[in-house]
Amino acid sequence: MTDKQLPAMQRLTRTDERILQSDIFERDAKEPRQDLGTVHEPGRDVTVYRDCDVLVVGGGPSGCAAAAAAAREGADVVLLERYNHLGGLSTGGLVIWIDRMTDWEGKLVIRGFAEELFDRLPADAVAGPAPEDWGSQDKDKAHHWSFRTAAYHGIVTWSPTIDPERLKLLSQELLIERGVKLVYHSWAAMPLMENGKVAGATFESKEGRMAIRAKVVIDATGDGDLFARAGAAYVNDIEEADVHHCMNTAWLFGGVDMARWIAFRSGQPEEFTAFMAGGRETCGLFERPFVSWRDDIALFMGPRQSGYSALDVDDLTAVEVRSHRAMAAHLEYYRAHAPGFENAYMMLSAPQIGVRHARRLKGVDAVLRSRWSEGTALPDEVAVTPAVSPKFPNISIPYGALVPEKLDGLLAVGRHISCDRNSHGFMREIPQCWLTGQAAGVAAAIAVKHGIEARNVDIDELQQALLAQGAYLRPRKEAVAAAAKEQACA
Ligand SMILES: Cc1cc2nc3c(=O)[nH]c(=O)nc-3n(C[C@H](O)[C@H](O)[C@H](O)COP(=O)(O)OP(=O)(O)OC[C@H]3O[C@@H](n4cnc5c(N)ncnc54)[C@H](O)[C@@H]3O)c2cc1C
């Protein structure tokens, strides 16, 4: 491949504001779509499939956490998912590297639903450092885990890789145990609207179009399909200097020897640099492998492609075409040049396309870059996330980031919650999606129990219910009591 044929590439290096260093590849030119006018679709009556308290649309990390949490609070919950499994991108997208759940001191702050999952995943389905090493700055340990996606800035973190099939199965069984009604192979189409509020959704399946009525809808589609169609305000600006706007279809190579690959990468830096340069020259789009939950399987979560829209069917198709071609080109190059990949084979390309960003809700509040340094609990804190680097303290996630500015009957969770583009870099990660999902699930159940709008739930009640479900947060009540005590002593 000549320089002219190489796709435009920029290289992002890690900073205190971002998680990854990566190559990013610009999109191919787009053929304009012809304007062919419209056809008229007549109105019709639609069969009601079910009534429920809480309808969760989307079975990714945030949707699973929301459904589990709402059901645990006693709500009658339905979860609608367009594919045949739960876990969303964390399983079907082969995003099997679960980002940091410990803060930079090694304290586990991503708890609740996340902990339940890790307590129940079989030992051989998880690879990562032992709890006694979380937060360790031991040079040897940090060096070892830095090649296994579990040490950054010289600190060992709890950011394991997992077996996607085990997570699919566990998520499914956990939700069924809680009494959640699962509906697979069903694609939510439009929100049902009553007096300006969301009151359920219609969906398409092999049975045609049907409807589910619900007291609260939780939009866990990742792309804000429901809140956008219900007329809620949203934004979609991006941070160019991050990977959070890139798309690609991830894949797995089997038959590899990751120990040999890591020995090469860590022990022969000059050869590794030459290998990468050769790969970019030969393949154009080029990516390095990550470890998986097994030493004989390698994970590729790129090449990351920029400039495509996750809401445009031609762009989605183009990313798939490019990614599948990249997978084949990588196999050839890696087999020929990468120690440990001589016997590699194409094991699986992800059934779900890797979309990091589409829309972000405009909520009554948001997770904001301007607050990263504060380190204090917001009054309506529903969760706490580790910061992107040790430079910042842990960051407070407000309930207001899940509540639309104006629209009622709906909460948003996961990678499309209300946040600015910088904070989206980490709020879209799987652990943070579990957090916001669990918070919204509990809030929705409380709203149903009291017959009130989700935006009006009592924050003390919400915080106490989340704590009872094992979540980590700093409740307002305690902060108020501590401030009063301090004042009394002064
Ligand atoms: C390539 C890539 C690499 C990444 N790397 C990491 C990483 O290393 N670590 C990390 O923690 N995170 C990573 N992320 C981010 C993370 O995987 C996602 O942001 C996270 O999974 C989002 O969770 P979610 O529940 O919001 O949405 P999703 O995981 O996207 O789940 C949404 C679910 O909703 C379903 N759905 C969507 N629309 C409809 C509809 N209309 N009707 C019915 N169902 C619908 C989908 O089928 C899907 O199952 C990465 C993401 C990508 C794309």
Side-chain angles (χ1 to χ4, degrees):
M1 186 172 278
T2 66
D3 271 1
K4 260 197 159 164
Q5 290 169 306
L6 281 175
M9 186 193 89
Q10 51 166 319
R11 211 161 297 165
L12 299 181
T13 43
R14 189 177 304 133
T15 73
D16 286 344
E17 309 261 328
R18 300 193 292 273
I19 297 164
L20 272 179
Q21 61 185 45
S22 177
D23 290 348
I24 285 187
F25 301 91
E26 291 302 325
R27 62 164 305 139
D28 288 334
K30 185 173 185 173
E31 266 184 42
R33 203 183 293 177
Q34 235 184 312
D35 182 358
L36 297 172
T38 58
V39 292
H40 178 71
E41 192 179 21
R44 59 194 151 149
D45 290 333
V46 170
T47 304
V48 177
Y49 170 78
R50 184 132 172 162
D51 285 321
C52 63
D53 291 334
V54 179
L55 169 63
V56 179
V57 182
S62 63
C64 287
R72 192 162 157 184
E73 293 303 307
D76 173 27
V77 182
V78 175
L79 186 148
L80 200 67
E81 166 55 50
R82 65 181 157 170
Y83 294 130
N84 70 350
H85 58 262
L86 295 179
L89 292 177
S90 70
T91 58
L94 296 177
V95 180
I96 57 173
W97 161 20
I98 312 298
D99 220 313
R100 271 177 313 109
M101 291 176 278
T102 44
D103 66 15
W104 294 102
E105 257 107 62
K107 178 176 162 176
L108 189 66
V109 292
I110 309 282
R111 296 190 52 194
F113 183 70
E115 256 185 312
E116 268 186 78
L117 290 178
F118 280 98
D119 284 348
R120 288 179 58 171
L121 276 169
D124 65 357
V126 183
E132 56 270 24
D133 289 336
W134 300 346
S136 169
Q137 298 190 28
D138 178 277
K139 278 203 170 60
D140 291 340
K141 286 180 180 170
H143 179 77
H144 173 86
W145 286 111
S146 69
F147 292 97
R148 291 164 179 82
T149 57
Y152 300 91
H153 302 280
I155 300 172
V156 179
T157 64
W158 176 229
S159 44
T161 42
I162 52 102
D163 176 344
E165 285 306 320
R166 286 292 177 183
L167 184 56
K168 278 182 195 171
L169 182 65
L170 172 60
S171 307
Q172 173 181 288
E173 296 311 306
L174 198 144
L175 263 54
I176 290 171
E177 276 169 29
R178 293 266 162 90
V180 174
K181 165 74 180 161
L182 295 180
V183 191
Y184 288 145
H185 295 292
S186 295
W187 189 303
M190 287 298 288
L192 292 176
M193 302 300 290
E194 265 175 31
N195 305 322
K197 288 188 209 168
V198 178
T202 56
F203 67 100
E204 288 285 345
S205 75
K206 285 288 182 182
E207 292 188 50
R209 200 170 182 92
M210 292 193 282
I212 297 175
R213 287 185 296 228
K215 293 176 185 138
V216 181
V217 172
I218 296 183
D219 186 343
T221 60
D223 301 325
D225 286 3
L226 269 287
F227 67 65
R229 286 171 195 169
Y234 62 86
V235 294
N236 56 9
D237 56 321
I238 57 162
E239 178 54 53
E240 297 276 357
D242 196 343
V243 301
H244 82 119
H245 51 91
C246 293
M247 282 163 63
N248 60 274
T249 298
W251 71 76
L252 300 175
F253 283 164
V256 304
D257 180 346
M258 284 305 276
R260 273 190 61 221
W261 163 258
I262 289 170
F264 165 69
R265 209 195 136 180
S266 59
Q268 296 172 250
E270 278 169 25
E271 287 82 350
F272 173 69
T273 304
F275 169 85
M276 290 299 289
R280 288 180 189 115
E281 177 63 29
T282 311
C283 303
L285 309 177
F286 195 62
E287 176 66 357
R288 69 210 146 95
F290 293 98
V291 291
S292 75
W293 77 107
R294 291 171 60 107
D295 248 10
D296 56 354
I297 296 174
L299 167 67
F300 286 79
M301 293 203 297
R304 298 177 178 77
Q305 301 167 47
S306 167
Y308 291 99
S309 165
L311 305 174
D312 179 315
V313 75
D314 294 324
D315 279 9
L316 289 164
T317 307
V319 172
E320 293 286 12
V321 169
R322 268 182 143 200
S323 299
H324 288 286
R325 286 180 179 159
M327 183 183 186
H330 277 62
L331 185 71
E332 202 172 318
Y333 183 77
Y334 270 77
R335 269 185 183 163
H337 303 286
F341 281 77
E342 296 81 356
N343 300 315
Y345 63 92
M346 291 202 246
M347 187 176 158
L348 181 68
S349 60
Q352 296 199 20
I353 189 168
V355 174
R356 294 174 176 83
H357 177 254
R359 309 176 176 103
R360 305 191 311 279
L361 178 77
K362 260 190 156 186
V364 298
D365 199 355
V367 181
L368 297 171
R369 171 68 186 84
S370 56
R371 288 180 180 152
W372 286 10
S373 303
E374 287 174 6
T376 46
L378 293 166
D380 61 341
E381 177 171 284
V382 284
V384 176
T385 167
V388 276
S389 84
K391 196 172 112 181
F392 301 103
N394 291 338
I395 293 165
S396 183
I397 305 177
Y399 179 54
L402 317 182
V403 182
E405 255 179 355
K406 293 203 178 101
L407 183 70
D408 276 322
L410 179 143
L411 292 171
V413 294
R415 63 181 159 83
H416 58 209
I417 65 148
S418 178
C419 59
D420 60 18
R421 59 192 186 189
N422 304 87
S423 306
H424 187 255
F426 58 87
M427 285 311 300
R428 69 183 177 88
E429 300 287 283
I430 294 158
Q432 286 75 4
C433 293
W434 284 328
L435 294 181
T436 54
Q438 185 164 15
V442 171
I446 291 175
V448 169
K449 188 163 72 184
H450 298 309
I452 55 173
E453 288 304 332
R455 73 175 65 247
N456 296 328
V457 297
D458 179 78
I459 295 298
D460 295 330
E461 186 179 358
L462 172 58
Q463 291 181 331
Q464 291 309 316
L466 279 165
L467 288 169
Q469 287 203 8
Y472 170 69
L473 57 90
R474 302 156 295 183
R476 177 170 71 170
K477 253 186 180 169
E478 281 174 24
V480 171
K485 201 171 161 194
E486 216 169 87
Q487 234 181 8
C489 293

